Amino acid sequence: MIEKELKSLGIANICEGTSTGKHWFSNGETIVSTSPVDGKNSGRVSCTDKSDYERLVAAARTAKQEWANFPAPQRGEIVRQLGEKLRLHKSALGKLVSYEMGKSYQEGLGEVQEMIDICDFAVGLSRQLYGFTMHSERPEHRMYEQYHPLGIVGIISAFNFPVAVWAWNATLALVCGNVIIWKGSEKTPLCSIACQKILAEVLIENSLPEGISSICTGAADVGRWMAEDNRIDLLSATGSTKMGKQVAASVASRLGKSLLELGGNNAIIVTAHADLKMTIMAAVFGAVGTAGQRCTSTRRLIVHEDLYAQVRDALIGAYQQLKIGNPLNTTNHIGPLIDVDAVKNYLSALKEIKKQGGKILIDGEVLKGEGYESNCYVRPVVAEVENHYAIVQKETFAPILYLIKYRGEVSEAIKLQNEVAQGLSSSIMTNNLQEAEYFLSHRGSDCGIANVNIGTSGAEIGGAFGGEKETGGGRESGSDAWKAYMRRQTNTINYSNALPLAQGIKFDF
């Protein structure tokens, strides 16, 4: 299905196991990349063993000083070239993302565009790594702060965004003067290899050290090596809250730095003053986009009682129009879940909804027959529930939307929204200015992302991305997220002939 794309990306031979690139292909056990689209194997990738890992860390350590010595705008030029190559490969890489992960082709293209956008952002950033100056209390002294590269940045990414999240981290880390080591998801290894191949070409064309960027492939053991390795100056990890807690504990035990982007249990609040058409559009895409496998997917729809029946009926009508099938067919709205384990979690959640007292309005099932041979296609579900149900409090990576009724003022809805352990994305649908401002105030949403009259899913690269509570507290992508990839240093310069002490302390002898 994607042979032409693999060839255009230069990784067809790698998938056949006939190439062993020095720092982007390994010699350990084999992972088979099986597409959830049709259940077919699209390639075999060797896992990183411990000797491979030591070799690539050594290469990174060798390269990091040379790379840090390049002026930041020159580092930005390398990232600009990466962006140009991504433009050339957008269609092929987007199709690979769609086929290997299962999201729609349009979403695959959107993910690659996000990579291009963050390259552009990082290029501009390379000339804006600002420090600060401040007045000293001592005469003829100058104080300022500046930022230096950390060294080696480790990146652990998840299957649901197999290329974009790497780019968020990689581009910023690179322009900040760091080298990178990436562990992509073992469920989407071809996407990782394709991205590394594209960046490796840029490095080779500019006669730069190969160790500036490396990848390692494998399961949790490889991530554990990175978390426990004090040579990794920053570990940025995206995935489940369970995984993030393990990473955080390991990195903290060595007093290292971590940047965590973890689970979400995102809600859209629909007040009595909401626009119904906009609400349904936002809720449906948020709930079923990427088959509900985004960290920003809409899990809960908290609706005022005055509008509840209209929203419920409109949702049922909209869901009946959704087309489920091969995501490379652009007439389909929903592709498959990532694998049969995800399907099991989906089915388990449906049982729990009923067991805990919920009412399923649109029933779920695993689709069978022609076009569904992978057994990974499921029907999206809408269920009436109470916010306190244990299954509602848990993040289920599947297209399950919980419909929750609230009464009274918007503060009651916000209380329901905030009564979960996660704090990534949130939204309110309202044309009432007071409700919108209350939602955005310190009394409102406790999430890292709070939107008005748009859904929870889909973030622009210009703003910092991340959340609070069990979402981890990290920030990636735009705004001043670049500071996480650098170490901060305060400098004081005395240009006088005396040595006055701070706080007026006298020390004469």
Side-chain angles (χ1 to χ4, degrees):
M1 171 112 21
I2 56 166
E3 290 82 2
K4 183 176 70 173
E5 285 73 23
L6 293 175
K7 186 175 181 180
S8 70
L9 291 166
I11 63 173
N13 289 337
I14 296 165
C15 297
E16 296 166 5
T18 60
S19 176
T20 54
K22 189 176 179 184
H23 293 303
W24 50 277
F25 192 69
S26 311
N27 298 297
E29 297 179 357
T30 299
I31 287 177
V32 178
S33 176
T34 302
S35 171
V37 173
D38 54 18
K40 295 181 180 179
N41 296 338
S42 46
R44 294 180 180 272
V45 177
S46 294
C47 294
T48 302
D49 62 23
K50 199 63 192 307
S51 62
D52 292 324
Y53 177 76
E54 290 298 326
R55 175 171 52 81
L56 66 88
V57 172
R61 296 185 76 186
T62 299
K64 70 175 184 178
Q65 192 58 55
E66 181 176 348
W67 180 242
N69 284 340
F70 277 80
Q74 291 185 23
R75 301 193 295 257
E77 168 59 17
I78 300 304
V79 172
R80 185 196 67 79
Q81 293 178 35
L82 171 62
E84 291 302 307
K85 284 193 179 289
L86 289 172
R87 286 177 170 87
L88 292 174
H89 293 295
K90 180 178 177 179
S91 177
L93 186 55
K95 189 172 183 181
L96 173 59
V97 168
S98 177
Y99 184 70
E100 190 174 31
M101 185 269 147
K103 64 176 58 177
S104 73
Y105 180 49
Q106 282 300 311
E107 289 183 86
L109 290 175
E111 187 167 346
V112 181
Q113 185 60 50
E114 196 166 354
M115 301 173 76
I116 294 167
D117 292 344
I118 198 64
C119 283
D120 289 348
F121 179 89
V123 173
L125 181 65
S126 69
R127 294 181 182 271
Q128 301 179 73
L129 300 175
Y130 299 130
F132 303 93
T133 61
M134 62 283 292
H135 290 282
S136 172
E137 66 183 62
R138 289 169 284 187
E140 298 184 297
H141 282 59
R142 181 165 66 90
M143 293 180 64
Y144 68 95
E145 292 179 348
Q146 61 179 331
Y147 290 84
H148 296 299
L150 286 171
I152 300 176
V153 171
I155 303 167
I156 298 175
S157 61
F159 73 87
N160 59 336
F161 280 86
V163 297
V165 172
W166 168 75
W168 288 0
N169 286 276
T171 56
L172 298 194
L174 288 172
V175 297
C176 288
N178 304 291
V179 300
I180 53 177
I181 297 174
W182 177 27
K183 179 201 173 299
S185 172
E186 62 271 26
K187 297 180 181 182
T188 52
L190 302 187
C191 289
S192 302
I193 291 176
C195 292
Q196 173 63 15
K197 180 68 163 56
I198 292 169
L199 178 51
E201 287 179 358
V202 174
L203 298 178
I204 291 169
E205 290 167 1
N206 288 272
S207 301
L208 291 169
E210 191 176 30
I212 289 173
S213 175
S214 304
I215 64 171
C216 47
T217 302
D221 55 340
V222 179
R224 190 159 47 248
W225 297 339
M226 297 173 73
E228 295 173 353
D229 191 344
N230 59 17
R231 297 168 296 183
I232 304 291
D233 298 284
L234 169 69
L235 184 57
S236 176
T238 302
S240 69
T241 296
K242 179 181 177 181
M243 178 277 292
K245 288 181 177 180
Q246 294 170 345
V247 168
S250 293
V251 175
S253 70
R254 60 179 174 86
L255 298 181
K257 299 178 185 293
S258 60
L259 194 166
L260 302 174
E261 297 289 356
L262 310 176
N265 195 345
N266 316 295
I268 297 177
I269 293 173
V270 184
T271 80
H273 303 100
D275 181 292
L276 183 61
K277 182 178 179 181
M278 288 177 61
T279 295
I280 298 305
M281 290 178 64
V284 173
F285 176 74
V288 307
T290 323
Q293 297 173 112
R294 292 185 175 211
C295 52
T296 55
S297 290
T298 304
R299 310 288 177 201
R300 298 173 294 145
L301 201 61
I302 304 172
V303 186
H304 192 274
E305 59 180 349
D306 290 351
L307 208 59
Y308 186 85
Q310 295 179 64
V311 170
R312 179 195 60 206
D313 294 345
L315 273 177
I316 292 172
Y319 269 59
Q320 290 172 346
Q321 300 176 50
L322 295 174
K323 296 179 181 179
I324 307 167
N326 189 321
L328 295 174
N329 181 342
T330 56
T331 64
N332 290 324
H333 301 101
I334 309 167
L337 293 176
I338 185 64
D339 55 25
V340 292
D341 287 336
V343 174
K344 291 178 182 176
N345 290 334
Y346 160 86
L347 293 173
S348 176
L350 299 187
K351 291 180 181 178
E352 288 299 315
I353 292 169
K354 296 174 183 177
K355 181 179 178 181
Q356 294 170 27
K359 178 183 178 181
I360 294 182
L361 303 177
I362 299 178
D363 212 345
E365 62 176 328
V366 181
L367 302 180
K368 305 290 185 181
E370 185 178 355
Y372 304 128
E373 291 83 1
S374 69
N375 296 313
C376 292
Y377 292 87
V378 301
R379 192 171 302 283
V381 171
V382 176
E384 290 182 316
V385 298
E386 297 292 335
N387 196 64
H388 65 267
Y389 290 177
I391 189 61
V392 177
Q393 294 287 312
K394 175 184 176 183
E395 179 189 41
T396 301
F397 243 41
I400 300 174
L401 179 62
Y402 299 121
L403 200 54
I404 301 166
K405 184 186 296 185
Y406 84 93
R407 299 170 177 82
E409 301 299 321
V410 71
S411 58
E412 295 302 314
I414 292 171
K415 181 180 178 182
L416 291 172
Q417 179 206 278
N418 292 346
E419 284 181 346
V420 294
Q422 310 84 358
L424 179 52
S425 188
S426 59
S427 176
I428 189 170
M429 305 299 290
T430 182
N431 288 325
N432 182 295
L433 179 62
Q434 288 181 322
E435 290 178 335
E437 289 295 337
Y438 188 94
F439 177 76
L440 298 177
S441 75
H442 68 92
R443 298 171 295 173
S445 171
D446 65 358
C447 296
I449 300 169
N451 299 324
V452 176
N453 289 332
I454 61 173
T456 63
S457 186
E460 297 181 30
I461 60 92
F465 181 90
E468 302 301 324
K469 302 189 294 188
E470 287 195 357
T471 301
R475 293 296 185 273
E476 296 173 330
S477 191
S479 186
D480 66 347
W482 61 271
K483 293 179 180 179
Y485 303 88
M486 305 196 82
R487 61 180 177 89
R488 186 171 180 171
Q489 184 181 78
T490 300
N491 309 112
T492 305
I493 300 171
N494 178 4
Y495 56 92
S496 74
N497 294 319
L499 192 65
L501 300 177
Q503 294 84 47
I505 293 173
K506 300 297 183 181
F507 186 76
D508 298 321
F509 61 90

